[in-house]
Amino acid sequence: MSEQTATRTAAPAVDLFDRIALGVVGLSIVTFLLGWTTLFERTGTDTAVAGLSLFTLFGAVFLLAGIGLLVSGIASYVGAFETTADRYTGIGTGLGLGIVGFAVGGLATTILFGVGATGSVLVGLVVGLVVTSGVAVLPEDLGTTFPVGLLGLAWGGLLVTGAVDAGWFWNPPSLDATFHAPIVVPLATIALSLLIAWSGAIVAEGFGSQGRQNGAYLLIGLNAFGMIAVLLLLILFVVQKGLPKLLEGAQFGPGLGISVPFLTKGVMLGQQYNGIFPAIVGTIWLVIGAVLLAVPIGIGAAVFLTEYAEQGRFTAIIETTTNALWSTPSIVYGLFGYAFLVPRFGNSNSLLAGMFVLGFMLLPLVVITSRESIKSVPDEYRDASAALGVNQWQTIRSVVLPAAMPGVVTGVILGVGRIAGETAPILLVTSGQPFPARAPSILGSFRFVATPPFVQNEALLQASSALPYQLYAVITAGVGQEEAFGWGTALVLLLVVLGFYAIGIASRIYFRRKLHQ
Amino acid sequence: MSDQTVTQTNEEQQSNDSTEQRSNSLTVDVETDERLVDSWTDYEFEDEAAITVEDLDVYYGDDHAIDSISMEIPERSVTALIGPSGCGKSTFLRCLNRMNDRIDSARVEGTVEVDGENIYEGDTDLVQLRKRVGMVFQSPNPFPKSIRENVSYGPRKHGDVNVGLLGRLLGNDDREVEREIVERSLEQAALWDEVSGRLDDNALGLSGGQQQRLCIARCLAVDPDVILMDEPASALDPVATAKIEDLIEQLAEEYTVVVVTHNMQQAARISDQTAVFLTGGQLVEYDDTDKIFENPESDRVEDYVTGKFG
Amino acid sequence: MSTTELHEQLKDRLGVESADDSVVTLGAVGALCLLGSAVAFLIGSPFTALPLAGFLFTVGYGLWNHQATTAKALTFLATIATGAILALITVYLIIEAFPAIREMGLAMFTKTSGRMWITRGEEVYSLVPMMWGTLVTTVLAMLIAGPLGVAGALFISEIAPDAVREIVKPAVETLAGIPSIVYGFIGFTILNDYMMENLDLPSSGSLVIVGLVVGLMALPTVVSVAEDAISSVPESMKSGSLALGTTDWQTIKNITLPAAFSGVSAAVLLGVGRAIGETMAATVILGHAQVLPEPLYDVFGNTETLTSLIASQYGVASSTHMSALFAAGVVLFVTVTVLSIASQYIERRMQIQLQGDT
């Protein structure tokens, strides 16, 4: 009676069949994770679990899981358990397993018999076709368990018997690469444990449409989990590598105040702690310039397209143009800046050219997000305003734009996060000295002169560094001692960019909540 | 009260509490209407009950959308649910095939028995439930597929009809079975004559009324016992509406039809019994349609059906 | 054409109902100033500032006295400016690429034998190795970003409970924000060494690493765009399927995905565009050898992509060599623009389809 949440989590009758299936899924997810840690060299061939070496353990798990799958498949087929297996496995699953068969068959041929590329591809194709057609016409309970279970037995056997051990390698004659067991075994283990988990998930729900849903959801869920894991690992990794450099020589004391030389100093000879202050300032100015250029033009264009223009050919062309601009590669913007802007801004790389190019890159994003949010302002607002006898521009200025502002601001912040990390255009139009000592001083450099163009700003027309370029400079300078400097820069860059993203996403959530209240 | 509910003593307690609460609130709400108290619970049907609802409460977050409703829906007849918008009649309808599960914030308490089985019990198979309890939606929602594929979608997905490439290759496809199901369903939905020549055209090319009848055919193809209809004619013109209404009356010979409508004339025309929901998710009166429209017990219902309020 | 007619037309254009001549004059002055500054800038004249100041003054005066009309004119100009940027990019790329294309002829895109990239002496510029490198990395990247991206989009829009979605969606967006140079740095310092150590590669840098990293970078684009497409499939259509007693997965496979198919393919196309245009990761990771890998499918070998070619050589290039780099830019630009337009076309078709106008 039932509160719905309670009924969902209520434990179904657990029988042997379920236990085997869940055991298979659980085991394979553990091996899946262990496969990754081995690939990342966190665990290795010398890791022993319960007296077994890691590879033997993998083998044992695959043997067990393979037997489990085969037993459940047969049990369902002979009717020992009640399942809802379909008459046929179907072509979709057949094709999927056929691709696995193609890969396994082809690789096995070339590894075992040294057959060349064409020959093994042919063998692989034959194996794949046989697997596809065989699996497709088998009853579902056999088709989804047997191929996977047999593969598990085979791979498990190779590992347990030591036919593939830590010293195993394969050197394909046509490639320069040699594949050693420490890479091959975890990769194969990861792939196979995914297959087995999928098959086990299908068994756990008793095949049929529910089983297929379970299998698919398991894989899709693991994929989403993987994306989160990649994000976290990347950030943690950069933090771990970069933090020591960032805090080098840093002082946090009551008497001394806070000082972080990495953030406040340039690179100078004879200086105890070098830093990336000029690059930080460069990035700040680039972002400010780009925003000043792109935001007014972008919002203006969005207002015209949404409020004034009749929807037709013209708006369609501009919309296509905007989207094309959005997907234009950054290096192409760089080339454009190099050919068009640099000659006009004193014929040398300059901060101003960088501002323009980044502004151009930001522009389409501002147009697109502003249009979206202006469109989502309900027409009732406009009608209400118009009904009061207010003209169109006043309506836009005092009703439409304020209502659309949250969306615009969010879009701009996210866009800024994107351009702040752009390297390629900076490389072509702004970069100068790789490790500058001083930051550009924009505000102090304005001069009025009697000759055209009358206003001069030396600093704007000079090359500058920026955070992403600084990182690139470390790489081109060659690794070695500078690598720590690079990690420190990478961390600061990441903090800046992710900071923009965090603010952008948080403000979007905030405005959405406010809207729904 | 069925065995299943009796065994669940804990929740039983709870539902008794809520029943009390309900009657309390009712007497407070309609002090002037003394005759109302539980008038409709005495109402007896000639037929067996297809659906029995006991103490059903639905919450959307903190919002109490259905307030402790109990009613029996007799089989092979048309039961109309009427009431002003926001009264919870569509929510109630969606409880009968658990389409409310789609909404994360929705919480359902109470029992709904279809053929004597509580569908809110732990191991209810939603697939089986929805095969037995079909649904037709407010605006026509055919799939962007051919007319034939729309009708045979349910049987195909349930594995009753196998017309895939594989079946054809192995020479045992069910094309004949599919043809029969499609023809039977379209005929039952009074659409066969209009579309028999173009079964492979995209269903989105049909008119609104035809699309809605296609959706009914699609639902019939699964061979349900109960058909739920959520304002099935509200998006249609008068001619198409008349066709749908005729169809509903015909369907009641074989199926149990529960139809939500805000159109009182429609309810009066097509239904055998009518349940009136008023604001707050409460069922105020439930009786033979004639009784409801000619001589309702409650003054509020009388005001509503005569158009004085709502 | 008489001046009055011109005035009338201008008024029409600017949407001025009242016959206010001062507005028209103002518009004409502003337009002239802007045109003047644009021309001055294009020819690289130091006098650009003069007409620009005139334009700014006109705008200021207009905003003060005729706000509505001026604002409308300004938004129109902003729209034109957006379009003009694409036009300028196209024109300048082609102008700069022309010398190299004239010198090399079609061989620039077809020469596959001998040395294909010689920058000194007998200059030879064939883009074939770079195009192959871009193709290989893009294919590898999309093998990762395509399926995983669509699966991620399905998870976010159809499968995840609200609470999980609130975490996964921002996380994927944040993933899109990690700068490519950071990926490149990790690839350069960690992955390159790892590959050399574990695969006994003779040289640092390989296409497979670039493909992997670029795939990871294109992934969020695919997820976001595909998610938009999938969640734009009307709920009524999904309910219709579920009410017939199909499982969620059956509904996704048979109704949602087919209905969103165009949008999802547009997402994949956009992902391809991102992968093709990705510069820094390739530049930093690859070893910059302008040769075709031997055998062609050797993804562990070193070659060059179009983007990394430009980024690694612009500093040492001049005249024809530089022009050849612009030619590489043209190839990139054309490919990505075509992909972008194609994906937009597909998306528009999907919207029409879902509205039932087939």
Side-chain angles (χ1 to χ4, degrees):
Chain A
M1 187 154 169
S2 50
E3 201 180 302
Q4 208 179 317
T5 44
T7 61
R8 273 189 190 163
T9 49
V14 177
D15 54 21
L16 180 67
F17 194 61
D18 277 338
R19 277 197 199 135
I20 294 178
L22 291 176
V24 168
V25 174
L27 275 179
S28 43
I29 288 179
V30 172
T31 34
F32 174 76
L33 295 174
L34 275 177
W36 281 109
T37 55
T38 312
L39 200 61
F40 288 144
E41 298 174 331
R42 298 287 157 222
T43 50
T45 46
D46 46 349
T47 313
V49 183
L52 292 175
S53 82
L54 193 62
F55 287 3
T56 320
L57 183 79
F58 283 158
V61 168
F62 284 128
L63 284 179
L64 271 180
I67 293 171
L69 284 181
L70 293 180
V71 167
S72 348
I74 295 173
S76 162
Y77 182 66
V78 299
F81 299 100
E82 197 186 330
T83 56
T84 50
D86 280 7
R87 193 163 20 148
Y88 302 125
T89 308
I91 290 180
T93 311
L95 264 180
L97 291 174
I99 291 172
V100 176
F102 166 75
V104 172
L107 283 173
T109 314
T110 178
I111 293 173
L112 292 178
F113 308 108
V115 178
T118 327
S120 25
V121 165
L122 278 179
V123 174
L125 275 179
V126 172
V127 175
L129 269 178
V130 170
V131 172
T132 302
S133 48
V135 167
V137 299
L138 275 180
E140 196 196 5
D141 39 13
L142 296 185
T144 49
T145 55
F146 253 67
V148 183
L150 289 176
L151 204 55
L153 283 185
W155 182 238
L158 285 176
L159 288 177
V160 166
T161 56
V164 173
D165 59 13
W168 182 91
F169 68 91
W170 172 53
N171 186 8
S174 56
L175 300 181
D176 285 332
T178 306
F179 300 91
H180 291 280
I183 271 197
V184 174
V185 172
L187 277 179
T189 299
I190 289 167
L192 190 56
S193 49
L194 276 183
L195 260 185
I196 292 180
W198 166 77
S199 176
I202 292 177
V203 176
E205 282 289 329
F207 307 96
S209 54
Q210 292 285 0
R212 289 193 293 276
Q213 163 158 322
N214 211 29
Y217 277 20
L218 180 86
L219 294 186
I220 293 176
L222 272 179
N223 172 49
F225 167 78
M227 285 196 275
I228 304 272
V230 165
L231 176 70
L232 289 181
L233 284 177
L234 273 177
I235 294 175
L236 283 180
F237 188 67
V238 174
V239 169
Q240 184 211 342
K241 286 274 197 179
L243 207 56
K245 184 73 192 177
L246 175 60
L247 297 180
E248 196 179 57
Q251 288 172 324
F252 307 92
L256 302 158
I258 297 173
S259 101
V260 185
F262 190 69
L263 297 180
T264 54
K265 297 253 190 296
V267 176
M268 271 184 267
L269 278 177
Q271 186 173 260
Q272 192 183 4
Y273 302 113
N274 284 325
I276 53 169
F277 182 64
I280 295 176
V281 174
T283 288
I284 291 173
W285 279 116
L286 284 172
V287 165
I288 290 176
V291 167
L292 284 181
L293 180 78
V295 170
I297 297 184
I299 296 180
V303 166
F304 184 82
L305 288 171
T306 328
E307 298 290 317
Y308 290 122
E310 305 231 335
Q311 301 305 308
R313 206 188 187 86
F314 178 70
T315 50
I317 289 175
I318 293 291
E319 200 165 325
T320 311
T321 310
T322 321
N323 285 326
L325 275 178
W326 186 66
S327 48
T328 298
S330 54
I331 189 85
V332 170
Y333 278 101
L335 279 175
F336 169 65
Y338 183 85
F340 181 70
L341 294 173
V342 171
R344 287 169 177 75
F345 294 147
N347 232 342
S348 74
N349 281 4
S350 66
L351 205 50
L352 191 61
M355 290 173 176
F356 268 79
V357 171
L358 291 186
F360 291 160
M361 293 186 67
L362 183 59
L363 180 62
L365 200 69
V366 177
V367 176
I368 292 170
T369 51
S370 308
R371 270 204 87 178
E372 289 293 322
S373 44
I374 293 174
K375 265 190 203 161
S376 67
V377 175
D379 273 340
E380 287 82 28
Y381 288 19
R382 299 182 179 89
D383 295 348
S385 175
L388 293 171
V390 175
N391 77 22
Q392 199 181 3
W393 165 243
Q394 280 166 325
T395 306
I396 293 170
R397 200 188 57 183
S398 45
V399 178
V400 177
L401 279 183
M405 217 19 96
V408 175
V409 170
T410 309
V412 169
I413 295 173
L414 291 178
V416 165
R418 188 182 191 87
I419 58 162
E422 275 298 347
T423 318
I426 308 283
L427 197 61
L428 267 73
V429 302
T430 301
S431 66
Q433 220 192 327
F435 298 99
R438 283 172 216 296
S441 148
I442 304 287
L443 294 178
S445 309
F446 276 105
R447 301 261 182 289
F448 292 94
V449 289
T451 51
F454 306 111
V455 185
Q456 276 191 340
N457 190 327
E458 282 296 319
L460 264 184
L461 291 180
Q462 268 172 5
S464 166
S465 186
L467 283 170
Y469 173 69
Q470 189 79 76
L471 190 50
Y472 179 71
V474 172
I475 295 168
T476 44
V479 221
Q481 289 185 335
E482 298 297 345
E483 192 176 321
F485 196 80
W487 286 113
T489 315
L491 175 59
V492 175
L493 176 61
L494 204 61
L495 288 179
V496 169
V497 171
L498 295 189
F500 277 116
Y501 269 76
I503 296 170
I505 292 171
S507 70
R508 186 178 58 205
I509 293 173
Y510 170 76
F511 285 124
R512 199 187 293 148
R513 292 248 166 90
K514 221 168 105 175
L515 198 72
H516 284 301
Q517 267 170 11
Chain B
M1 191 162 294
S2 82
D3 297 351
Q4 277 157 335
T5 43
V6 173
T7 51
Q8 296 170 330
T9 39
N10 223 359
E11 288 93 336
E12 186 67 12
Q13 190 69 41
Q14 210 180 340
S15 65
N16 279 341
D17 292 350
S18 56
T19 318
E20 264 172 39
Q21 271 174 11
R22 191 197 106 256
S23 28
N24 285 344
S25 63
L26 258 188
T27 43
V28 173
D29 276 359
V30 281
E31 282 168 311
T32 50
D33 196 2
E34 296 295 326
R35 291 172 302 163
L36 176 71
V37 178
D38 280 2
S39 58
W40 39 264
T41 44
D42 307 331
Y43 179 47
E44 285 186 7
F45 307 105
E46 292 161 19
D47 298 305
E48 297 256 320
I51 300 175
T52 310
V53 179
E54 298 233 20
D55 299 318
L56 187 74
D57 283 273
V58 180
Y59 304 86
Y60 292 126
D62 297 331
D63 192 14
H64 201 168
I66 294 285
D67 189 356
S68 194
I69 285 181
S70 302
M71 69 187 286
E72 288 191 350
I73 295 169
E75 65 176 10
R76 279 192 279 279
S77 64
V78 180
T79 305
L81 312 178
I82 62 172
S85 47
C87 67
K89 53 193 191 307
S90 289
T91 301
F92 177 78
L93 192 75
R94 285 168 163 263
C95 286
L96 304 184
N97 66 345
R98 287 188 60 173
M99 283 303 278
N100 279 333
D101 286 19
R102 291 284 287 163
I103 303 161
D104 276 346
S105 65
R107 193 158 53 86
V108 180
E109 290 171 9
T111 56
V112 175
E113 286 175 12
V114 178
D115 291 339
E117 277 174 52
N118 181 6
I119 62 169
Y120 281 98
E121 213 155 42
D123 56 349
T124 303
D125 184 348
L126 286 187
V127 170
Q128 294 305 323
L129 168 67
R130 289 174 184 162
K131 274 165 85 172
R132 276 186 309 174
V133 184
M135 188 166 206
V136 176
F137 295 82
Q138 187 164 1
S139 41
N141 57 350
F143 305 133
K145 297 171 182 282
S146 73
I147 295 171
R148 184 199 312 278
E149 283 168 325
N150 261 280
V151 179
S152 66
Y153 179 79
R156 281 191 191 186
K157 293 306 137 201
H158 296 139
D160 300 337
V161 168
N162 198 339
V163 289
L165 179 63
L166 196 60
R168 218 179 313 165
L169 287 177
L170 296 177
N172 62 352
D173 71 346
D174 303 326
R175 242 146 234 284
E176 198 49 35
V177 183
E178 184 193 38
R179 207 189 54 75
E180 281 166 20
I181 291 180
V182 170
E183 183 172 343
R184 171 180 62 80
S185 310
L186 287 172
E187 269 176 354
Q188 278 183 302
L191 191 59
W192 176 250
D193 296 339
E194 292 163 54
V195 301
S196 59
R198 47 182 177 133
L199 289 177
D200 291 313
D201 288 4
N202 194 318
L204 294 175
L206 296 174
S207 74
Q210 288 174 323
Q211 288 191 1
Q212 192 63 304
R213 276 178 285 150
L214 178 66
C215 291
I216 294 175
R218 185 174 75 184
C219 171
L220 294 174
V222 188
D223 202 17
D225 301 328
V226 181
I227 303 172
L228 310 176
M229 297 193 179
D230 190 356
E231 307 198 19
S234 68
L236 305 179
D237 61 60
V239 179
T241 302
K243 280 189 182 168
I244 298 281
E245 286 182 6
D246 287 348
L247 180 56
I248 291 174
E249 290 188 274
Q250 279 170 29
L251 289 175
E253 289 167 16
E254 272 185 75
Y255 304 93
T256 307
V257 181
V258 186
V259 53
V260 162
T261 176
H262 60 252
N263 178 337
M264 279 175 284
Q265 285 73 34
Q266 188 172 62
R269 278 195 300 268
I270 61 175
S271 70
D272 300 304
Q273 49 277 322
T274 300
V276 185
F277 288 63
L278 294 179
T279 40
Q282 290 168 344
L283 173 57
V284 179
E285 191 163 343
Y286 178 39
D287 213 324
D288 277 332
T289 300
D290 296 343
K291 177 99 168 27
I292 292 280
F293 283 93
E294 280 157 23
N295 184 22
E297 301 275 338
S298 149
D299 291 343
R300 287 209 297 168
V301 171
E302 182 158 11
D303 286 352
Y304 178 67
V305 296
T306 51
K308 280 188 193 150
F309 132 79
Chain C
M1 192 190 292
S2 74
T3 32
T4 24
E5 271 176 37
L6 190 72
H7 273 206
E8 287 309 312
Q9 276 208 342
L10 269 172
K11 279 183 212 163
D12 268 9
R13 275 287 143 89
L14 293 170
V16 188
E17 279 91 23
S18 66
D20 189 345
D21 281 349
S22 67
V23 173
V24 181
T25 319
L26 196 66
V29 171
L32 269 179
C33 287
L34 191 64
L35 202 66
S37 43
V39 170
F41 190 68
L42 277 179
I43 59 171
S45 155
F47 289 97
T48 309
L50 273 181
L52 192 66
F55 172 71
L56 289 178
F57 176 77
T58 322
V59 167
Y61 178 79
L63 279 178
W64 190 257
N65 290 303
H66 308 279
Q67 202 181 43
T69 317
T70 312
K72 185 171 177 182
L74 281 179
T75 59
F76 176 70
L77 284 177
T79 313
I80 296 296
T82 310
I85 291 172
L86 190 74
L88 280 175
I89 291 179
T90 317
V91 168
Y92 271 83
L93 280 187
I94 292 176
I95 289 179
E96 297 283 332
F98 190 67
I101 297 176
R102 192 181 46 194
E103 184 151 332
M104 286 301 297
L106 258 187
M108 189 159 217
F109 311 104
T110 54
K111 181 178 162 54
T112 54
S113 54
R115 284 188 63 190
M116 283 172 271
W117 192 263
I118 306 171
T119 56
R120 266 170 224 173
E122 183 77 8
E123 289 175 78
V124 176
Y125 301 107
S126 163
L127 289 175
V128 174
M130 288 49 113
M131 282 153 65
W132 179 255
T134 297
L135 179 72
V136 170
T137 48
T138 306
V139 167
L140 285 174
M142 291 322 288
L143 284 180
I144 297 168
L148 299 194
V150 175
L154 277 180
F155 182 81
I156 292 176
S157 80
E158 300 297 304
I159 298 172
D162 282 351
V164 180
R165 184 196 342 252
E166 293 297 319
I167 298 171
V168 178
K169 205 178 164 184
V172 170
E173 270 176 305
T174 312
L175 200 57
I178 294 183
S180 62
I181 189 73
V182 173
Y183 281 106
F185 191 60
I186 294 175
F188 176 71
T189 51
I190 309 290
L191 293 179
N192 270 357
D193 288 354
Y194 180 86
M195 294 293 274
M196 278 185 74
E197 212 171 282
N198 286 291
L199 294 177
D200 299 347
L201 291 181
S203 62
S204 172
S206 57
L207 286 173
V208 72
I209 295 271
V210 178
L212 199 77
V213 170
V214 172
L216 202 56
M217 295 171 65
L219 185 61
T221 307
V222 179
V223 175
S224 306
V225 183
E227 196 237 317
D228 282 348
I230 292 170
S231 45
S232 74
V233 175
E235 172 63 29
S236 68
M237 224 177 247
K238 301 174 204 162
S239 304
S241 169
L242 289 169
L244 288 170
T246 58
T247 60
D248 287 319
W249 177 239
Q250 279 177 319
T251 303
I252 291 172
K253 242 177 28 176
N254 296 290
I255 304 296
T256 314
L257 266 186
F261 182 77
S262 333
V264 171
S265 15
V268 174
L269 280 188
L270 273 182
V272 173
R274 277 265 171 272
I276 290 177
E278 178 38 50
T279 309
M280 293 325 288
T283 307
V284 168
I285 294 171
L286 283 179
H288 306 295
Q290 292 82 24
V291 291
L292 282 169
E294 182 64 41
L296 271 181
Y297 58 82
D298 183 3
V299 293
F300 298 96
N302 246 318
T303 178
E304 186 84 284
T305 67
L306 289 165
T307 51
S308 69
L309 176 81
I310 301 170
S312 63
Q313 301 206 341
Y314 83 97
V316 294
S318 55
S319 62
T320 320
H321 185 187
M322 192 65 210
S323 170
L325 297 187
F326 272 92
V330 170
V331 174
L332 273 176
F333 180 61
V334 169
T335 319
V336 172
T337 307
V338 166
L339 283 173
S340 159
I341 292 173
S343 76
Q344 289 177 62
Y345 171 75
I346 293 173
E347 248 175 322
R348 238 166 261 165
R349 229 188 42 183
M350 167 178 166
Q351 277 164 5
I352 293 171
Q353 245 172 15
L354 281 182
Q355 284 154 8
D357 301 345
T358 39

